[in-house]
Amino acid sequence: MPELPEVETTRRGLLPHVAGRRIEHVRLRRADLRWPIPRQVEDLLPGQRIDAIRRRAKYLLLDTAAGSALLHLGMSGSLRVLPSDTPLRAHDHVDLALEDGRVLRFNDPRRFGCLLWQAPGTLHPLLAGLGPEPLEDGFDGDYLFARSRGRSAPVKAFLMDQAVVVGVGNIYATEALFRAGISPLRAAGKVSRERYAALAREVKAILAHAIARGGTTLRDFLSPDGAPGYFEQELLAYGRGGQPCPRCGRALKQASIGQRTTAWCAHCQR
DNA sequence: CTCTTAACCTGGACGC
DNA sequence: TGCGTCCAGGTTAAGA
């Protein structure tokens, strides 16, 4: 269930259990994820101390002196810290065994996720060309306005383009456009500066709020079944096609935009 | 460049 | 109960 707030919640949940710990060994059960897990993960990671856990876009980086493990959770991935004798479940592909008798376990049923390697002082190609972080200052309405001029793709596809801004997936793009009153079908280049200012504000607000809500589940991070479903009841448009618009009561439309299901109000969103 | 489409993979929900 | 179909929170790669 990973969009940016879920990845950030994972990072914050792992931090106290993993940062500063040494990795004793690496156990790969399946290496054929989105891309093959490279040799460096097995060859270089054992013995290394995890100095920090960073997030860039929806990627997590476990930093060590030898290099960084670069993780993406894809559509269905999750990371948990567990006692090393915890029974395996289906799709438990990787364990990083820590010195304290626990394991950082990577589970991913669909295997759209990845575990790659970034050498010290280098930037992995997947991280090059990413847009700004939505919660940082470089992301605002003026930025979106400037980037969007001349672009004919629907504003929803533009907003979900990781080269434009990272971390905004299908749920939060749908929600932010609803809250900003912008039709997801409108050409990105035809949205005004003022409306992009509103959109940037909504993106920041909804992501920050979702991260804050995710935080309430952090203390359960060690339990084997702590998937946070925190945000579902607060969604106004996502998954509500055909239901009444929370603002005007007319039925929400639902259609596929850029291959992703989108719900919106044709009356409130222009 | 920009835009659109197909593809990767498994599991759950639903209809018959 | 079993089986076919559709759908899912992401992203890259290929083609127009």
Side-chain angles (χ1 to χ4, degrees), chain A residues 111-161:
Chain A
R111 287 187 281 123
F112 283 4
C114 60
L115 171 50
L116 300 171
W117 188 256
Q118 179 173 274
T122 68
L123 184 66
H124 195 281
L126 290 172
L127 301 185
L130 291 175
E133 290 285 330
L135 293 173
E136 292 180 2
D137 288 344
F139 175 72
D140 60 18
D142 287 344
Y143 167 79
L144 284 177
F145 181 76
R147 278 299 294 263
S148 62
R149 291 311 89 184
R151 298 191 58 164
S152 62
V155 62
K156 177 161 181 273
F158 173 73
L159 186 60
M160 291 178 67
D161 182 346

Side-chain angles (χ1 to χ4, degrees), chain A residues 31 33 49 90 116 140 164 189 198 202 212-213 231 242 248 251 257:
Chain A
L33 305 184
R49 191 180 65 241
L116 300 171
D140 60 18
V164 172
E202 295 296 346
R213 294 299 302 275
F231 208 66
C248 75
I257 300 176

Side-chain angles (χ1 to χ4, degrees), chain A residues 36 42 45 106 119 125 136 141 166 196 243 246 265:
Chain A
E42 279 181 291
L45 219 40
F106 181 29
E136 292 180 2
V166 302
Y196 270 128
Q243 298 177 36
C265 176

Side-chain angles (χ1 to χ4, degrees), chain A residues 84-113:
Chain A
S84 57
D85 59 357
T86 305
L88 289 171
R89 297 193 291 188
H91 315 298
D92 282 337
H93 303 314
V94 182
D95 279 353
L96 303 186
L98 305 175
E99 59 188 331
D100 64 354
R102 296 192 291 190
V103 293
L104 176 59
R105 185 163 284 173
F106 181 29
N107 180 287
D108 184 7
R110 290 176 73 179
R111 287 187 281 123
F112 283 4

Side-chain angles (χ1 to χ4, degrees), chain A residues 10-131:
Chain A
T10 296
R11 189 189 72 81
R12 294 182 185 186
L14 294 181
L15 197 54
H17 305 295
V18 169
R21 296 260 150 70
R22 188 179 305 281
I23 296 171
E24 293 215 316
H25 60 267
V26 174
R27 182 158 296 141
L28 300 187
R29 298 188 185 82
R30 268 201 93 140
D32 56 331
L33 305 184
R34 172 78 193 258
W35 293 284
I37 296 173
R39 289 204 55 98
Q40 290 96 320
V41 170
E42 279 181 291
D43 291 351
L44 302 183
L45 219 40
Q48 292 296 313
R49 191 180 65 241
I50 298 174
D51 296 321
I53 310 180
R54 288 179 294 141
R55 179 188 60 74
R56 172 69 172 117
K58 297 169 190 167
Y59 294 92
L60 289 171
L61 293 115
L62 306 186
D63 291 332
T64 76
S68 300
L70 177 63
L71 278 149
H72 196 292
L73 301 177
M75 294 271 257
S76 58
S78 61
L79 285 168
R80 311 203 66 76
V81 177
L82 303 163
S84 57
D85 59 357
T86 305
L88 289 171
R89 297 193 291 188
H91 315 298
D92 282 337
H93 303 314
V94 182
D95 279 353
L96 303 186
L98 305 175
E99 59 188 331
D100 64 354
R102 296 192 291 190
V103 293
L104 176 59
R105 185 163 284 173
F106 181 29
N107 180 287
D108 184 7
R110 290 176 73 179
R111 287 187 281 123
F112 283 4
C114 60
L115 171 50
L116 300 171
W117 188 256
Q118 179 173 274
T122 68
L123 184 66
H124 195 281
L126 290 172
L127 301 185
L130 291 175

Side-chain angles (χ1 to χ4, degrees), chain A residues 195-218:
Chain A
R195 305 183 78 208
Y196 270 128
L199 183 59
R201 275 198 306 274
E202 295 296 346
V203 167
K204 286 174 186 282
I206 197 167
L207 293 178
H209 180 62
I211 290 170
R213 294 299 302 275
T216 65
T217 66
L218 288 188

